Amino acid sequence: MDKIVYLDNNATTKVDEKVLDEMLPYLKEEYANPSSMYDFSKKSSKAIKEARGKLKDFFNAADEKEIIFTSCGSESANTAIRGTLATDRTKKHIITTQIEHPCVLNVYKYLEKQGYSVDYIGVNSNGELNLDQLRNAIKEDTALVSVMWANNETGVLNPIGEISQIIKSKNPNTKFFVDGVQAAGKVPIDVQETGVDMVGISGHKLHAPKGVGALYVNSKTMITPLIIGGHQERGKRAGTENVPYIVGLGKAAELATDNMKYELTEVKRLRDKLEKGIIHNIYNARVNTGLAQRVPNTTNIGFEYIEGELILLHLSDLGICASSGSACTSGSLEPSHVLRAMNVPFTAIHGSIRWSLSRFTTEEEIDYVIEKLPKIIEEITAISPYQDELKALKEFKMAKSI
Ligand code: PLP
């Protein structure tokens, strides 16, 4: 297939050419181990230092010592959560949300089996967090709260600064980890302004390659390393540094800041155009997040009474890449835990599609989807077993638009 319209940037992103150019010398000539004594290693160690400085700026951290390089977003989350809890095993209560990525949710499930008591905070039908439930859940022995900055399926933003204040006012000793993977590069991440303790990000969601991530840990927060060995990353993460990828992440973070305005205006404009184009032309389409605040690149749209997987297959035939709100687990089609937590009606939950743009998405690509999608949906809708319900929905929508 020659034409690819890639609208699945929350799954992964293409590596920016400028990132690759910056990395290449460290994959070719500059291969020295940055910990070595000889002069040949100086360029590698300097490159890591510079990348750390770029990440410090990206997070608006107070000190570059607060940045730890990891291998991915999942490692950042595991290090933050398990690393914090390992420093004090007396506090046995932890809090997270029902809509976290599995790299947080499954760590919490694991910790539950290890004897921790867990509160999973819910969301409303737009995917917005129940802050009262969170406030009431914080106790004397709450060791950690983990809330994602933006949701990967819906793009809904959590009010991180406000949540931070709630936590610290109820229990100043409770640590706050934020999974920032889907917010990075889409909205500013300012750790000092929001007062968070830890934030994790992932390179491959940010136009850097897969296999690199970062974790911000403020200087007041102690963590025990997950990977024990050498003294790299100030003893917080052992293993010879992945110099080219760290350099790539540094460049990607710098470019993300440079492109933030474009992301918040132009990428948002294209996302809104796509969303409106779909909703106006397809009567059984609904935006699953209502009017919730979202990152600029994401929309999650439910197509009522039809199957998302079928839509994706038809889109794929045209070279259009999007993603289903449903995860296919061992042959059984499980609706997404995020959409279930939002109580998305059963009529739409199986037919929900996530569209996620990037700064490389073009207007022509959006127009192509708006042109092609109605016919696909019409064909799939024609074979739906819910014809009476669809007819009633169509009449209702037509009456509403008069
Ligand atoms: N957190 C969120 C919100 C994500 O969307 C993802 C990946 O999809 C991750 C964490 C995990 O990142 P990685 O694939 O780098 O481990």
Side-chain angles (χ1 to χ4, degrees):
M1 179 169 325
D2 9 310
K3 190 181 176 92
I4 290 289
V5 175
Y6 188 72
L7 296 177
D8 200 15
N9 287 279
N10 288 7
T12 197
T13 58
K14 99 179 204 177
V15 175
D16 192 309
E17 291 281 339
K18 294 188 188 109
V19 169
L20 183 63
D21 288 348
E22 201 102 344
M23 291 172 62
L24 281 175
Y26 298 93
L27 284 161
K28 288 153 94 185
E29 318 74 60
E30 300 297 338
Y31 53 83
N33 186 322
S35 303
S36 298
M37 288 300 291
Y38 34 77
D39 275 2
F40 178 39
S41 76
K42 294 236 161 66
K43 216 162 168 189
S44 300
S45 53
K46 186 163 168 267
I48 294 180
K49 189 169 164 40
E50 277 170 14
R52 208 181 297 283
K54 287 177 184 172
L55 267 297
K56 170 192 170 279
D57 294 345
F58 178 77
F59 286 116
N60 189 29
D63 195 323
E64 30 179 270
K65 292 183 191 126
E66 295 175 314
I67 308 297
I68 301 170
F69 288 112
T70 65
S71 66
C72 60
S74 301
E75 189 193 323
S76 297
N78 271 262
T79 304
I81 299 167
R82 297 164 70 186
T84 311
L85 297 179
T87 60
D88 177 2
R89 297 196 186 274
T90 59
K91 293 185 190 156
K92 288 289 183 195
H93 179 241
I94 51 180
I95 300 173
T96 190
T97 80
Q98 292 173 8
I99 57 161
E100 296 299 301
H101 185 271
C103 74
V104 170
L105 220 40
N106 287 340
V107 175
Y108 269 69
K109 297 254 163 70
Y110 164 82
L111 290 165
E112 219 172 342
K113 289 200 190 105
Q114 304 294 307
Y116 282 87
S117 131
V118 181
D119 275 304
Y120 296 95
I121 308 302
V123 291
N124 66 15
S125 60
N126 286 348
E128 294 157 316
L129 205 60
N130 185 334
L131 296 187
D132 287 332
Q133 194 190 353
L134 173 65
R135 188 178 288 108
N136 294 332
I138 301 163
K139 300 189 286 199
E140 187 60 38
D141 72 332
T142 306
L144 179 75
V145 177
S146 183
V147 175
M148 67 201 326
W149 205 303
N151 183 268
N152 45 306
E153 292 188 31
T154 62
V156 172
L157 284 161
N158 287 313
I160 294 302
E162 190 181 346
I163 293 170
S164 195
Q165 272 179 9
I166 292 173
I167 297 168
K168 298 299 170 186
S169 66
K170 284 226 54 185
N171 185 346
N173 297 320
T174 300
K175 293 296 175 190
F176 184 25
F177 167 65
V178 181
D179 174 356
V181 167
Q182 293 291 347
K186 299 168 188 166
V187 291
I189 292 189
D190 188 325
V191 293
Q192 296 193 70
E193 188 184 279
T194 50
V196 300
D197 295 310
M198 297 170 280
V199 181
I201 64 164
S202 170
H204 74 102
K205 312 284 184 178
L206 199 62
H207 303 292
K210 294 156 193 66
V212 66
L215 175 65
Y216 158 82
V217 182
N218 73 14
S219 51
K220 292 183 233 113
T221 302
M222 299 290 292
I223 60 159
T224 298
L226 266 196
I227 303 175
I228 298 170
H231 56 267
Q232 293 90 351
E233 299 299 300
R234 301 173 59 79
K236 299 280 170 48
R237 201 267 188 185
T240 302
E241 298 91 337
N242 187 352
V243 186
Y245 283 59
I246 289 172
V247 168
L249 181 58
K251 183 67 184 173
E254 187 180 68
L255 290 170
T257 305
D258 293 348
N259 284 293
M260 184 60 67
K261 196 164 162 231
Y262 183 86
E263 197 81 29
L264 293 170
T265 53
E266 195 56 15
V267 175
K268 179 177 182 301
R269 184 183 72 76
L270 291 179
R271 187 274 311 270
D272 291 349
K273 181 176 187 183
L274 174 69
E275 191 171 280
K276 285 198 187 89
I278 294 176
I279 298 298
H280 285 166
N281 295 322
I282 300 171
Y283 74 90
N284 54 335
R286 72 193 287 276
V287 178
N288 283 328
T289 48
L291 295 173
Q293 291 286 317
R294 292 171 297 170
V295 284
N297 81 318
T298 310
T299 181
N300 190 303
I301 297 183
F303 297 91
E304 299 206 65
Y305 300 107
I306 59 177
E307 285 293 339
E309 279 68 25
L310 210 48
I311 305 171
L312 292 181
L313 288 177
H314 279 70
L315 288 171
S316 176
D317 287 345
L318 297 173
I320 302 169
C321 310
S323 133
S324 162
S326 306
C328 188
T329 336
S330 57
S332 73
L333 290 176
E334 272 281 311
S336 123
H337 70 285
V338 176
L339 300 184
R340 268 187 290 149
M342 292 162 64
N343 275 322
V344 169
F346 86 96
T347 54
I349 200 165
H350 291 281
S352 287
I353 304 289
R354 174 187 75 184
W355 312 83
S356 47
L357 290 66
S358 81
R359 61 177 184 257
F360 296 106
T361 305
T362 64
E363 185 119 29
E364 188 206 349
E365 290 174 332
I366 295 301
D367 290 341
Y368 179 68
V369 177
I370 294 173
E371 183 206 326
K372 297 289 178 193
L373 189 64
K375 189 159 175 283
I376 293 177
I377 301 296
E378 200 183 306
E379 277 172 24
I380 301 174
T381 303
I383 54 167
S384 164
Y386 294 97
Q387 291 305 318
D388 290 346
E389 290 83 352
L390 280 159
K391 190 164 166 258
L393 180 66
K394 193 172 195 171
E395 281 166 9
F396 174 72
K397 285 281 176 80
M398 279 167 70
K400 241 175 69 170
S401 65
I402 290 166

